[in-house]
């Protein structure tokens, strides 16, 4: 397991980190995104999408579970599993077709579906520390 810690001090730095990871993402790559409400998950995701060459607006798929973007250099599958009641709901939307496909998947609140995550994924964990400032973020990147 490889772990890297990155500290950001503004939204743009968090966005830039997402963009950098999007630019280097490969087909079949799965990112999990963990963090409390309001830590910058959507900012990071928008940067990742930009790095994949996606130009349309990216928003959290809170009520649809998955949002599909296909016009970038790789398809982008953005999951938000915060509202799922049971892991079986993931089967109903055919999540395996996405995460084992040729696109890049990003799963917000992935800790809620740990038992069905693939063997290999990149976990992005975003944390605030108000003692360091309102816009400070500690971002852990772990390869599993």
């Amino acid at each position: 397991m490889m772990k890297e810690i990155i500290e950001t001090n503004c939204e743009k730095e968090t966005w830039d980190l997402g963009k950098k990871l999007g630019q280097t993402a490969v087909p079949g790559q799965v990112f999990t995104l963990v963090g409390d409400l309001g830590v910058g998950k959507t900012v990071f995701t928008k940067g990742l999408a930009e790095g994949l060459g996606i130009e349309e607006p990216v928003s959290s798929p809170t009520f649809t579970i998955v949002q599909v973007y296909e016009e970038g250099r790789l398809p982008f599958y953005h999951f938000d599993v915060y509202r799922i009641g049971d892991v079986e709901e993931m089967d109903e939307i055919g999540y395996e077709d996405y995460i084992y496909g040729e696109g890049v998947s990003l799963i917000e609140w992935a800790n809620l579906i740990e038992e069905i995550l693939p063997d290999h994924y990149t976990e992005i964990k975003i944390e605030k520390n108000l003692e360091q400032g309102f816009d400070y973020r500690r971002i852990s990147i772990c390869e599993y």
Side-chain angles (χ1 to χ4, degrees):
M1 177 180 79
M2 185 185 85
K3 185 171 186 172
E4 182 179 1
I5 306 290
I6 296 167
E7 295 176 318
T8 65
N9 292 292
C10 64
E11 278 190 12
K12 182 171 180 350
E13 290 178 3
T14 300
W15 188 90
D16 286 346
L17 175 61
K19 182 176 179 180
K20 179 180 160 190
L21 291 175
Q23 290 171 329
T24 59
V26 296
Q29 189 158 11
V30 175
F31 293 96
T32 64
L33 188 53
V34 178
D36 293 335
L37 290 170
V39 296
K41 293 186 300 293
T42 301
V43 169
F44 175 87
T45 301
K46 288 178 178 183
L48 185 88
E50 172 88 10
L52 288 167
I54 295 176
E55 295 178 1
E56 68 181 278
V58 172
S59 59
S60 192
T62 302
F63 297 103
T64 59
I65 301 179
V66 64
Q67 189 80 311
V68 177
Y69 303 91
E70 294 186 329
E71 85 280 0
R73 69 176 179 86
L74 293 169
F76 178 45
Y77 310 122
H78 179 199
F79 293 84
D80 183 331
V81 300
Y82 183 74
R83 296 198 188 314
I84 70 163
D86 192 297
V87 172
E88 290 174 8
E89 289 180 51
M90 295 298 287
D91 288 330
E92 292 170 16
I93 63 161
Y95 83 98
E96 287 182 340
D97 294 338
Y98 297 110
I99 65 171
Y100 295 110
E102 291 300 308
V104 173
S105 298
L106 180 133
I107 307 168
E108 290 189 48
W109 302 99
N111 51 306
L112 301 174
I113 60 164
E114 284 178 328
E115 62 268 30
I116 62 168
L117 291 176
D119 292 338
H120 302 288
Y121 61 92
T122 303
E123 179 187 77
I124 312 293
K125 184 175 185 179
I126 305 176
E127 300 170 288
K128 284 185 186 182
N129 181 343
L130 293 177
E131 292 177 10
Q132 299 273 353
F134 181 77
D135 292 323
Y136 172 86
R137 300 296 183 266
R138 181 177 190 269
I139 303 172
S140 307
I141 303 173
C142 295
E143 301 282 340
Y144 291 95

